[in-house]
């Protein structure tokens, strides 16, 4: 992995989790991510567990209805029980993301006060996919430059 890629990942994580910034700045950063996602044709996928699932559902509905932004969440009980039964509860979000064809234009928002399974497992898979996408694009860019 290149040093620039590592620095970029560190900066993204610092900005997302650095609570020394004001909440206002963090909210504006989130709004920018959502607007960018919508502009490039992506969808916003909001994940929540328990009470956060209800909040995720509400936010997805508001984004879709009031802002015209494609947004979904995975709070449907049939989907939850089906995928949890066929795979396992810890893999529910991962399998739901696969089912809904997540691509590099999409934005995934995770709402949780406590990051436990299934979120930690899902986050690690998302980060791996991001690194693979960045690596693939970097290779494509390098081969284009060499042509």
């Amino acid at each position: 992995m290149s040093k620039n890629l590592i620095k970029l990942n560190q900066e993204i994580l610092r900005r997302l989790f650095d609570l020394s910034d004001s909440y206002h700045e963090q909210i504006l950063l989130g709004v920018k991510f959502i607007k960018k996602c919508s502009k490039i044709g992506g969808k916003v996928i909001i994940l929540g567990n328990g009470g956060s699932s209800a909040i995720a559902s509400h936010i997805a509905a508001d984004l879709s209805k009031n802002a015209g932004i494609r947004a979904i969440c995975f709070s449907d009980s049939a989907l939850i029980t089906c995928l949890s039964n066929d795979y396992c509860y810890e893999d529910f979000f991962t399998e739901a993301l696969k089912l809904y064809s997540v691509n590099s234009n999409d934005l995934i928002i995770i709402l949780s006060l406590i990051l436990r399974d299934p979120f930690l497992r899902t986050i690690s898979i998302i980060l791996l996919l991001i690194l693979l996408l960045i690596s693939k694009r970097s290779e494509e860019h390098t081969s284009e430059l060499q042509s």
Side-chain angles (χ1 to χ4, degrees):
M1 186 182 313
S2 74
K3 289 181 182 180
N4 289 339
L5 182 59
I6 292 170
K7 285 182 183 178
L8 174 65
N9 286 332
Q10 289 172 341
E11 178 62 17
I12 290 169
L13 291 173
R14 186 196 67 75
R15 286 185 145 201
L16 289 176
F17 297 107
D18 184 6
L19 297 178
S20 65
D21 292 341
S22 72
Y23 287 116
H24 178 74
E25 290 174 2
Q26 291 179 24
I27 290 169
L28 290 177
L29 181 62
V31 169
K32 285 181 184 178
F33 277 124
I34 291 170
K35 285 182 176 180
K36 174 77 173 184
C37 171
S38 179
K39 185 177 179 179
I40 62 175
K43 61 188 169 289
V44 178
I45 301 167
I46 308 169
L47 308 179
N49 199 14
S52 297
S53 179
I55 295 168
S57 178
H58 188 105
I59 293 170
D62 280 348
L63 285 173
S64 297
K65 182 182 135 221
N66 299 325
I69 295 172
R70 292 185 324 139
I72 60 171
C73 78
F74 302 135
S75 61
D76 178 71
S77 61
L79 179 68
I80 295 167
T81 56
C82 171
L83 295 178
S84 296
N85 183 58
D86 289 353
Y87 301 98
C88 67
Y89 179 73
E90 289 77 17
D91 288 337
F92 162 68
F93 288 115
T94 303
E95 295 303 324
L97 290 169
K98 288 180 195 174
L99 187 64
Y100 281 83
S101 301
V102 175
N103 65 55
S104 60
N105 293 336
D106 295 340
L107 173 64
I108 300 169
I109 299 172
I110 297 175
L111 303 179
S112 182
L113 295 177
I114 302 170
L115 287 177
R116 293 186 188 153
D117 272 343
F119 289 120
L120 290 179
R121 188 178 248 171
T122 305
I123 290 169
S124 63
I125 290 170
I126 290 169
L127 290 175
L128 178 62
L129 289 173
I130 290 169
L131 292 175
L132 289 172
L133 280 169
I134 291 170
S135 175
K136 182 179 176 187
R137 286 187 176 171
S138 181
E139 288 172 11
E140 289 171 358
H141 182 67
T142 302
S143 66
E144 286 174 8
L145 291 175
Q146 292 174 348
S147 300

